[in-house]
Amino acid sequence: MRMFLAIVVLAPSILFAEEDPCAQSSPEEMAAAVGVKLPRRPWHLANVWWDLDGPTRDFRSLEMDITIDRDVPETYNLYVSPCGIAQINGLKFYGGIQTNINGWPSKNERKRVHRGKGAIFSRWSEDEKTPIGLDHVQTVAENCLVESAGYEGEFASVRRPFSWTKGTYTWRINKADTVTHKGKPATWFRCSVRDHASGEVVPVGSLLFEGETFTFWGRHSAFVEVYSTAKIPKSHIPKVNVTFGWPRINGEKVGVKKTTAFYPTESTGVTSSPDCAYVVPQW
């Protein structure tokens, strides 16, 4: 089952310049029109959950297709995450594509920079409280960004610029080399993004996970988020349609028992968002 997500207006839109196909009224204008109060960014506009047939032992790869129906300019902070959260051996990770990646330009330089559109792959430490260093990160090019911090739980991340537009892409991680890290086996997982139109595969970077063999948990998730950066602290919400494909593990479509959509609110105790998106299944 593919999941189609549309980010729609909260109030009647007005005419905008043709060069921005995602333009609509500002969140503040739309919220005022319907008498609601906006929560603080970031906004998880919608989350999709797949309940799988069960865990997958000997996990080697995860692939997710995403289709975006129009070009989203870098004037927005949009995060399309086909891997909203996942676990292997209890270790959490996520990733996807963003309109504005940011981070540190190297492992030795901690000044935050912004490099526009790109892809991201992040993981958390086992307890999310113990710092995880940049020795868990491998870059693949000089323009890659890295980060290791604790403002969303202790994590390490690699990001790489990638000028995605409308079209279909596959976000993928795959198991690579097992090495010895702090006297124990640990394994690198590589991240890449494939552009279906050109066939180009863009390597993003690799993250190190403790262990040699891995079990993927019995769930999967995806989300679309409007986030905040120092460059664009109050991003507008782009009008765009996003389609998530069927999860593939170890190269095969995984068995799915149930798929649900979740719209975060303040009452749930998690990142809340304005009511401005809807999710429908596509068989």
Side-chain angles (χ1 to χ4, degrees):
M1 177 191 299
R2 297 189 305 159
M3 300 303 294
F4 169 80
L5 187 148
I7 303 175
V8 299
V9 297
L10 288 170
S13 61
I14 60 176
L15 294 177
F16 291 89
E18 191 66 29
E19 60 267 17
D20 184 357
C22 302
Q24 56 184 349
S25 302
S26 73
E28 289 73 20
E29 290 170 327
M30 292 189 284
V34 294
V36 299
K37 181 181 178 181
L38 290 174
R40 183 174 59 87
R41 293 167 179 82
W43 296 330
H44 271 220
L45 304 178
N47 297 274
V48 178
W49 282 94
W50 290 264
D51 290 339
L52 310 181
D53 284 346
T56 301
R57 301 187 185 281
D58 189 26
F59 170 76
R60 299 183 303 279
S61 68
L62 168 68
E63 296 171 294
M64 284 291 295
D65 295 337
I66 47 176
T67 299
I68 301 163
D69 79 331
R70 68 198 73 188
D71 188 21
V72 183
E74 294 177 9
T75 49
Y76 299 93
N77 283 335
L78 182 71
Y79 184 7
V80 178
S81 179
C83 180
I85 193 70
Q87 287 189 26
I88 49 175
N89 292 3
L91 304 172
K92 293 181 180 180
F93 64 91
Y94 82 163
I97 60 175
Q98 297 181 337
T99 51
N100 280 289
I101 62 167
N102 64 91
W104 304 334
S106 73
K107 294 184 178 182
N108 299 316
E109 187 177 354
R110 303 301 176 89
K111 180 181 179 180
R112 186 171 301 278
V113 297
H114 299 80
R115 291 197 169 146
K117 289 184 174 179
I120 180 172
F121 178 33
S122 303
R123 63 150 294 187
W124 283 265
S125 65
E126 185 172 6
D127 61 5
E128 302 182 41
K129 298 178 181 179
T130 303
I132 179 172
L134 292 175
D135 55 347
H136 285 74
V137 178
Q138 278 186 347
T139 58
V140 293
E142 290 185 359
N143 63 353
C144 285
L145 301 175
V146 299
E147 189 172 6
S148 176
Y151 54 82
E152 292 181 334
E154 292 292 340
F155 72 93
S157 182
V158 62
R159 303 94 186 255
R160 188 181 184 189
F162 167 54
S163 298
W164 55 272
T165 61
K166 67 178 182 179
T168 300
Y169 302 89
T170 298
W171 184 92
R172 182 176 192 262
I173 66 163
N174 67 282
K175 187 179 180 183
D177 298 333
T178 297
V179 298
T180 299
H181 179 73
K182 296 182 179 180
K184 297 180 179 179
T187 302
W188 290 102
F189 279 83
R190 300 188 185 114
C191 179
S192 63
V193 177
R194 179 168 67 90
D195 182 344
H196 286 218
S198 67
E200 180 186 12
V201 176
V202 179
V204 177
S206 300
L207 297 178
L208 189 65
F209 289 77
E210 293 77 13
E212 187 171 4
T213 60
F214 297 86
T215 297
F216 190 92
W217 66 342
R219 310 177 72 195
H220 187 64
S221 73
F223 65 76
V224 172
E225 177 187 79
V226 170
Y227 58 102
S228 178
T229 63
K231 180 181 178 182
I232 308 176
K234 290 189 176 182
S235 170
H236 285 200
I237 302 170
K239 185 177 182 180
V240 62
N241 299 319
V242 176
T243 303
F244 294 111
W246 195 297
R248 297 191 300 276
I249 296 177
N250 295 347
E252 302 289 339
K253 282 187 176 181
V254 65
V256 174
K257 294 186 292 186
K258 181 177 69 173
T259 307
T260 55
F262 172 61
Y263 305 94
T265 63
E266 288 182 333
S267 62
T268 62
V270 296
T271 302
S272 58
S273 75
D275 186 10
C276 60
Y278 64 87
V279 179
V280 295
Q282 292 186 335
W283 296 93

